[in-house]
Each structure stands twice: as structure tokens, then as C-alpha cells.
Amino acid sequence: MDLGNQRASSNVQDRRGIGMVGGGLGIGGIAVAVIAYLLGFDPGTAIQVGQQASTVQERPAAKGAPADDMGQFVAKVLGSTEDVWTQVMRAHNRQYRQPKLVLYTGAVRSACGMGQAAMGPFYCPNDEKLYIDLAFYRDLKERFRAPGDFAQAYVIAHEVGHHVQNQLGVMEKLHSLQGRVSKQEFNRASVRVELQADCFAGVWGHHAGNAKLLDPGDVEEGLAAATAIGDDRLQKQQQGYVVPESFTHGSSAQRVSWFRRGLQSGRMEDCDTFSSSAL
Ligand SMILES: [Zn+2]
């Protein structure tokens, strides 16, 4: 990516290295381990984990956009998503509310409960914040074999996609299904939500390309990342077989297809995974 001329967002809250007092894995550890390989997360899991939050104290975050390379990268990618979504939402007569992005190390308290690095990056609709432990980027490169700065940006753009969904009322709809429908039905709805977030990440990528932020090869990096984190690929790696009914994020082919769709058109109306009969 070429972020030289991109402004850095002022919405990054740097909590790296602050640490948690009185935290610890506790009962959340097992639930967290199960979803450790997933990009994005199921809000239900965080709520289970959240029970420990009350015992935890933390110090305030550093002020201002972080100055280190990685912090600057994140702040510029976030800044770019703000520019793009402000414009895209305005075209739909909506005002974009900018989310905050919290960088943390190890564990963090969110309004959705305790977040832990093993969960991967996540978005909490209750406080409208994205949470990222940058150690995930090492996993993306080494464990998922999806290197590159655009792959890293895609992760942020996917979580921002959940924020856009939150503003559109999609997250609330998913949440209302919890406990009212079967696990399988909930998973199917979750897949549609996740694929739409992938498509929204593509919408951002399209406009980032127009703003000359992309280098040759960036799109391929994004597609490789979408492939690497498909449910079928991850299940095959972890357990050696694939159980489509348990998918929560979609297969590699589906994730690539919806990301590509947003990337090509740049239009959020092309991301309607809910009325699409075939995903
Ligand atoms: Zn997600």
C-alpha cells in the first residue's frame, strides 16, 4: 500500500503494553481457544467471557495517534476507511459515525466483555469500537500464510464493515436471533453477516484504489487473506475435516467472492448477502 498522503485517524486508542490487573483466562479460556483461529468474532462468545470484566482494573490509554510504524499504519488505514465510508454513506443520505480502534496487548475490557488476543480482531457494537492485538498480524503472516500490508488493512476494513452493519441495524438483527433460533440457523445468519463485512471491506478497497493507496499485488494479497481464513480451510487445518453446518464466517470461496464483489463495484448495495439465494 502507499499511505504516504493518507491522513492518520485520530480515533486510535493505544492501550498496548498497559496490561490488565486481575485478569486471567478463567472460564473464558476454553471458549476463546475454540474461536482462536477465526477472523472476526461472534458477540455471544465475548459475552460469556465478559463475566471476568468486573474484577479488572486498567490504566488510561496513551493520547493521540501512535507514532510507531505499525501504529501509524493502523491509524492511516482507519483514516482511509473514515474517508471512504463518510462519502459512501453520504451518497445514501446517511451520516457515518466514526468508530474508535483500540490497540491492545493480551487482554482488554470492552463493552461486550473481555477481549483476548486469541480471539483475533473483533468489533463490539455496544461501544462501537474495533479491538486489535497486533500479534494477530504475525499469525496472519506465519500461521495463515497471508503476508502483506494490504492483508493487514483488509482485517481492519472487515471489522469496520461490522461497524457499518451496526449503523445499518444488521448487527442488532443478528443479535435478536440469539437464543430464538437453532444453532445451525444462527450460524447461517452469521455467515451472511460475515460475508457482507467482507464485501464492505471490498467496497473500501475499491475506493482506496481510486485514491491511489494501492500498489500492484495488493488485491491479490487481500484475496489470499480472504482465502486463508475461510471456515473450510481453517477446519481442515484444525480437525482434518469440514463441517459446513458449523460455519460462522463462510468458506474461502465465498469470502473471496464477496470481497471481490465489493472490490469491483465499490457499491454497498451490491453487498446484500441477505437476499442472495446463493452465497
Ligand atoms: Zn467478522
Side-chain angles (χ1 to χ4, degrees), residues 137-252:
Y137 283 159
R138 197 186 52 226
D139 283 355
L140 194 62
K141 188 166 142 215
E142 291 169 8
R143 193 188 299 166
F144 303 127
R145 304 213 175 78
D149 55 0
F150 189 75
Q152 296 174 342
Y154 163 80
V155 170
I156 297 173
H158 173 96
E159 299 308 329
V160 168
H162 285 315
H163 173 69
V164 172
Q165 291 176 312
N166 192 32
Q167 260 196 260
L168 300 175
V170 175
M171 297 298 273
E172 206 179 308
K173 243 182 252 166
L174 179 70
H175 211 78
S176 74
L177 292 179
Q178 210 152 29
R180 289 199 301 117
V181 299
S182 70
K183 180 86 186 147
Q184 280 192 13
E185 207 171 316
F186 185 82
N187 286 349
R188 277 198 294 272
S190 168
V191 166
R192 288 178 189 265
V193 168
E194 292 300 332
L195 293 176
Q196 186 175 60
D198 286 334
C199 187
F200 283 171
V203 168
W204 163 76
H206 176 94
H207 294 281
N210 288 348
K212 308 258 179 293
L213 300 184
L214 302 195
D215 291 326
D218 275 349
V219 166
E220 289 72 20
E221 271 176 23
L223 295 172
T227 306
I229 53 183
D231 284 331
D232 49 345
R233 171 79 70 95
L234 297 175
Q235 287 187 352
K236 191 107 200 177
Q237 275 170 7
Q238 288 165 64
Q239 59 196 27
Y241 55 91
V242 174
V243 186
E245 301 79 59
S246 68
F247 285 4
T248 54
H249 286 66
S251 67
S252 294

Side-chain angles (χ1 to χ4, degrees), residues 9 19 24 27 42 68 90 97 102 112 122 128 134 140 156 160 169 176 202 206 210-211 247 253 258-259 266 269:
S9 168
I27 48 156
D42 164 3
D68 62 299
R90 193 181 291 139
R97 279 197 310 270
V102 180
C112 297
F122 67 94
E128 303 204 322
L134 292 176
L140 194 62
I156 297 173
V160 168
S176 74
H206 176 94
N210 288 348
F247 285 4
W258 283 96
F259 174 58
E269 49 273 43

Side-chain angles (χ1 to χ4, degrees), residues 13 35 49 55 72 77 91 103 109 121 148 167 179 187 190 193 202 209 214 249 256 260 262 267 271:
Q13 297 179 344
I35 53 166
V49 180
T55 61
Q72 274 289 308
V77 170
L103 290 175
R109 181 164 51 184
Q167 260 196 260
N187 286 349
S190 168
V193 168
L214 302 195
H249 286 66
V256 165
R260 202 196 288 272
R267 288 153 39 101
C271 297

Side-chain angles (χ1 to χ4, degrees), residues 28-66:
I30 298 157
V32 165
V34 173
I35 53 166
Y37 290 83
L38 303 179
L39 173 63
F41 93 128
D42 164 3
T45 313
I47 288 154
Q48 290 170 6
V49 180
Q51 280 133 18
Q52 309 151 55
S54 57
T55 61
V56 171
Q57 291 157 15
E58 52 193 31
R59 283 174 273 144
K63 293 221 161 49

